[in-house]
Amino acid sequence: MLAHEAMMEGAAVADCLAGETVDIEENLIPAVVFTDPEIATVGPSPAEAEEAGISTVVGRFPLSANGRALSLGDDEGFVRLVAEADSHQLIGAAVVGSEASELISAPTIAIEQGLTVAEFADPIRAHPTLSEAMKESAEDTFAIPTHWRGS
Ligand SMILES: Cc1cc2nc3c(=O)[nH]c(=O)nc-3n(C[C@H](O)[C@H](O)[C@H](O)COP(=O)(O)OP(=O)(O)OC[C@H]3O[C@@H](n4cnc5c(N)ncnc54)[C@H](O)[C@@H]3O)c2cc1C
């Protein structure tokens, strides 16, 4: 169903034919719906994680509290991050809103690298950018985000 998955699988087949070990992380394939607003996800939703027996903490941040979204006049949507409850390791993300298809890359890399939500929140994002919503969504799992009262 996804072109980037097909490309990765094509490369994996080539690697297999060359005798290399291939390890595809099937649950780490981002998916985007190019609607208006865009919808992008990677990893499990909170419900899917709970169904798989994983206890979660969930961080949210509305784009209506993000300066860049407001200045673009496009503040519909949110960021939602899912982390494993004990380790606080990031396992899933969803973005609804402007540039969701671009924003989903950062949590995809963070999940692949095994980062906790605190590690993901730590780097400074430029202001005003949509990326700040990602940072503040991560903060929502363990603190009160700077620009929102928190969920
Ligand atoms: C309208 C549309 C929009 C899409 N939009 C997106 C999108 O925005 N983002 C996204 O990620 N994915 C999108 N997709 C899905 C994406 O295109 C597919 O997931 C991807 O192309 C699958 O790649 P594939 O290599 O598995 O198959 P394909 O790209 O279908 O390639 C299969 C190839 O095999 C050939 N073939 C078939 N049978 C034979 C045969 N018997 N002998 C020789 N050759 C044969 C076909 O001609 C074709 O060239 C879209 C698909 C469609 C139809």
Side-chain angles (χ1 to χ4, degrees), residues 44-110:
S45 67
E48 287 167 341
E50 295 287 341
E51 233 170 69
I54 303 168
S55 296
T56 61
V57 286
V58 179
R60 297 182 177 80
F61 192 81
L63 291 184
S64 58
N66 174 264
R68 182 62 175 163
L70 288 166
S71 69
L72 289 169
D74 199 359
D75 65 346
E76 187 184 3
F78 62 88
V79 173
R80 184 190 67 203
L81 299 180
V82 186
E84 201 271 321
D86 289 336
S87 65
H88 275 210
Q89 193 173 327
L90 190 61
I91 58 172
V95 187
V96 176
S98 186
E99 305 293 345
S101 53
E102 301 291 341
L103 290 170
I104 202 67
S105 289
T108 303
I109 294 165

Side-chain angles (χ1 to χ4, degrees), residues 1-4 6 9 32 34:
M1 290 284 287
L2 298 168
H4 45 285
E9 288 171 350
V32 178
F34 288 94

